[in-house]
Amino acid sequence: MRSTSFGAPINVKGWVRTHRSSKAVDFIALNDGSTIKNIQIVVSPDACQVTCPAAPADSAADALKLITTGACISVVGTLVESPAAGQASEIQAQTIEIYGTCASDYPMQKKGQSFEVMRKNAHLRLRTNTFGAVMRIRHNMAIAIHQYFHDHGFFYFHTPLITASDAEGAGQMFQVTTKNLYRLEKDEQGHIIYDDDFFGKMTSLTVSGQLEGELGATALGAIYTFGPTFRAENSNTPRHLAEFWMIEPEVAFIDLDDLMDLEEDFIKYCVRWALDNCQDDLEFLNKMIDKTLIERLRSVVDTEFVRLPYTKGIEILEQAVRDGHKFEFPVSWGMDLASEHERFLVEEHFRKPVIMTDYPRDIKAFYMKQNPDAPAAAAASPACPLCGDRVAAPAAAPSMGFASCVAPGPTVQGTDVLFPQIGEIIGGSVREENYDKLLSEITRRNIPMKDMWWYLDTRRYGTCPHGGFGLGFERLILFVTGMQNIRDVIPFPRTPKNAEF
């Protein structure tokens, strides 16, 4: 409440945060959801008319007893300067109408509840200070994303939620069907017949809009998608959801350095937007959730991201192991980094965000552009004394010392942006624009050609260098709010065995 029209009549409506009574006066903290800050209502029972159409009371004092935490009221009164510390104004109430009383078993009482309890009451937790702050920041981050891309010449591009292809070549998908699941017809090989299904083929909810986004980029130059995606992976972790939102820009005529510049500039813009537009909510979360939150956000905006080749990152991790650092998962070239490895690099070694590049081909998606470190070059390279394998690109990692018996092999132009507290927050790559190389990789991975013909057409008809990235919106909100569980930054989380509300 920032109005300073003291002495003016005012009408405010909202939900009661607290209600304190004394002999002569009552104090009600009211909040309408638009801000973290409450407005104090000062009520003199002798000078205020209090009504409750749903439960008429004999006196204003009796009616005031119906105003408990969670009740919804409308207050008409006079705005006055407040003598209390921490607030500039308050309202001297003249009339109060109680729209809705609140039962005594209201689960969002002023006393602290665990986040687990609040998740079980996701239909009511939005009324709490914490979740109000998170949702307002979530709104502002969505605005920032659209504003950034609009200002930089990107077109908002809508990709389908229902698809017949798995964009990433891995992961479980939610199937979409109108078939009677109790009477499934199968062919002689035991495969379900989809001829009579709605789309005439097996379809699923999308895991990514990237492949279709590439089609947009090769027509419009620069596009972005921002919408829900779905993963049917049985992951009960603080970092995974079955339904979440993704931002996926795709850009024609971009190379690896340009892509990393875009990733860094975009994420800094979003964090800066939060600092500039969500000050009250961030200060609240900094006080109640994570006392280093604002400092961490400012450090991201003010620092230059490290650009780290995967092979060099493995060297650093292997050296950390030799120096006595304990990881739960072993470190070797060719592995997919775990969150503990990513966070070590960001939080302990560099102490700043890291963009990791040039990953092993076999741990990344089929569409990533291959680096010119072809396996054929390994024949002239030194052999690992442990296993006899030859190093495919010895010049790229001259100091590895064969600490791992897994020798470096072909790499691709993938990029992962690693953040403190989060680990990977952005995953992207330059896309392979060469038809023959892309076809070879699709064949090598046994990806059904019936799902890829239209994607390959972009390499047959006017192919061009292009690339892009994907940002999980909820992971961005995790970082910006300091919350510890991804289920607490989306209004109604969808996770294994949980589809309530």
Side-chain angles (χ1 to χ4, degrees):
M1 184 72 186
R2 293 186 171 87
S3 175
T4 56
S5 300
F6 300 125
I10 191 170
N11 177 209
V12 294
K13 302 174 183 180
W15 292 267
V16 175
R17 288 288 194 260
T18 61
H19 181 181
R20 295 181 291 115
S21 298
S22 65
K23 291 183 179 180
V25 67
D26 284 29
F27 299 96
I28 298 171
L30 196 67
N31 192 288
D32 68 355
S34 64
T35 172
I36 192 69
K37 296 182 177 180
N38 304 322
I39 184 70
Q40 178 166 276
I41 313 299
V42 182
V43 185
S44 174
D46 296 335
C48 180
Q49 180 183 0
V50 184
T51 60
C52 181
D58 293 335
S59 66
D62 289 338
L64 277 171
K65 295 177 182 178
L66 300 174
I67 302 177
T68 58
T69 298
C72 182
I73 63 175
S74 171
V75 179
V76 175
T78 303
L79 186 69
V80 299
E81 290 190 74
S82 176
Q87 59 187 35
S89 59
E90 60 188 25
I91 296 174
Q92 296 283 353
Q94 297 165 357
T95 64
I96 298 177
E97 181 180 358
I98 303 173
Y99 287 150
T101 59
C102 199
S104 60
D105 61 351
Y106 179 55
M108 298 296 115
Q109 297 290 345
K110 181 176 172 56
K111 63 178 182 179
Q113 291 88 13
S114 70
F115 285 118
E116 186 61 36
V117 168
M118 287 194 277
R119 286 178 209 126
K120 294 177 181 178
N121 294 278
H123 59 308
L124 297 173
R125 69 176 182 170
L126 301 175
R127 299 185 192 177
T128 64
N129 287 332
T130 297
F131 285 92
V134 169
M135 293 306 138
R136 284 187 293 270
I137 291 173
R138 184 181 172 103
H139 158 80
N140 270 280
M141 288 298 91
I143 297 297
I145 287 162
H146 286 298
Q147 192 66 51
Y148 178 88
F149 287 121
H150 178 73
D151 290 347
H152 287 77
F154 286 67
F155 295 100
Y156 186 26
F157 191 71
H158 296 127
T159 54
L161 296 184
I162 300 174
T163 181
S165 65
D166 179 347
E168 303 207 354
Q172 297 296 315
M173 303 176 75
F174 291 103
Q175 190 170 343
V176 176
T177 182
T178 57
K179 293 182 70 65
N180 185 339
L181 300 183
Y182 297 100
R183 298 177 59 186
L184 292 176
E185 295 184 45
K186 299 182 180 180
D187 61 21
E188 293 179 356
Q189 287 75 41
H191 300 145
I192 296 172
I193 299 172
Y194 285 95
D195 293 349
D196 60 342
D197 204 358
F198 187 89
F199 293 105
K201 62 173 67 177
M202 182 177 174
T203 55
S204 304
L205 294 177
T206 186
V207 298
S208 169
Q210 178 204 310
L211 301 190
E212 293 86 353
E214 288 186 49
L215 308 184
T218 56
L220 301 172
I223 64 93
Y224 72 103
T225 75
F226 186 5
T229 55
F230 309 86
R231 304 280 172 95
E233 297 170 2
N234 190 20
S235 298
N236 270 302
T237 78
R239 296 290 181 268
H240 289 89
L241 290 167
E243 176 187 318
F244 56 99
W245 288 64
M246 285 280 286
I247 301 98
E248 297 177 293
E250 286 290 328
V251 189
F253 317 115
I254 195 171
D255 62 18
L256 184 60
D257 288 333
D258 291 336
L259 177 61
M260 290 189 288
D261 288 344
L262 175 64
E263 292 169 338
E264 182 171 348
D265 189 58
F266 170 70
I267 202 77
K268 285 182 174 179
Y269 180 94
C270 291
V271 174
R272 189 180 300 110
W273 184 284
L275 288 167
D276 291 344
N277 295 278
C278 307
Q279 182 178 352
D280 289 344
D281 287 322
L282 288 177
E283 288 177 353
F284 171 81
L285 294 171
N286 192 83
K287 176 182 178 181
M288 303 300 294
I289 302 298
D290 184 346
K291 290 180 170 45
T292 66
L293 173 61
I294 293 178
E295 177 186 355
R296 191 165 61 251
L297 296 180
R298 287 175 177 158
S299 72
V300 165
V301 171
D302 296 336
T303 191
E304 184 176 347
F305 293 6
V306 174
R307 300 189 178 186
L308 178 72
Y310 169 91
T311 298
K312 181 61 178 176
I314 292 294
E315 285 186 58
I316 294 169
L317 294 170
E318 289 180 325
Q319 185 61 51
V321 172
R322 289 193 290 271
D323 292 341
H325 191 92
K326 302 295 184 182
F327 291 113
E328 180 181 356
F329 297 100
V331 177
S332 64
W333 198 98
M335 61 171 282
D336 200 357
L337 269 63
S339 179
E340 61 172 339
H341 304 131
E342 296 169 342
R343 293 186 62 178
F344 174 85
L345 292 169
V346 172
E347 297 171 14
E348 298 186 45
H349 187 81
F350 291 107
R351 299 184 183 276
K352 60 176 64 177
V354 170
I355 306 179
M356 184 167 277
T357 67
D358 302 315
Y359 283 87
R361 176 182 64 179
D362 289 337
I363 65 171
K364 287 298 183 180
F366 74 93
Y367 48 71
M368 294 191 181
K369 183 176 179 64
Q370 296 180 30
N371 280 315
D373 50 7
S381 304
C384 171
L386 299 178
C387 68
D389 284 347
R390 294 185 179 276
V391 182
S399 61
M400 282 195 69
F402 300 107
S404 165
C405 69
V406 180
T411 60
V412 292
Q413 294 184 19
T415 65
D416 284 350
V417 180
L418 312 179
F419 258 30
Q421 303 268 324
I422 301 294
E424 179 194 341
I425 193 169
I426 286 179
S429 77
V430 178
R431 318 308 188 191
E432 181 56 70
E433 80 273 15
N434 182 282
Y435 177 87
D436 292 331
K437 290 182 180 180
L438 184 60
L439 177 61
S440 175
E441 193 64 16
I442 289 173
T443 302
R444 189 178 76 89
R445 299 189 186 214
N446 297 314
I447 299 173
M449 285 302 299
K450 65 181 179 61
D451 297 332
M452 289 289 102
W453 65 269
W454 56 270
Y455 184 67
L456 282 164
D457 271 359
T458 59
R459 276 66 173 179
R460 295 177 62 223
Y461 305 129
T463 188
C464 69
H466 64 285
F469 65 82
L471 166 65
F473 188 48
E474 282 71 29
R475 291 198 178 186
L476 173 63
I477 307 304
L478 266 182
F479 180 75
V480 172
T481 61
M483 300 293 281
Q484 300 300 304
N485 195 308
I486 202 165
R487 304 177 192 203
D488 297 330
V489 296
I490 191 169
F492 307 105
R494 296 292 180 254
T495 55
K497 303 296 187 295
N498 178 36
E500 297 296 327
F501 316 111

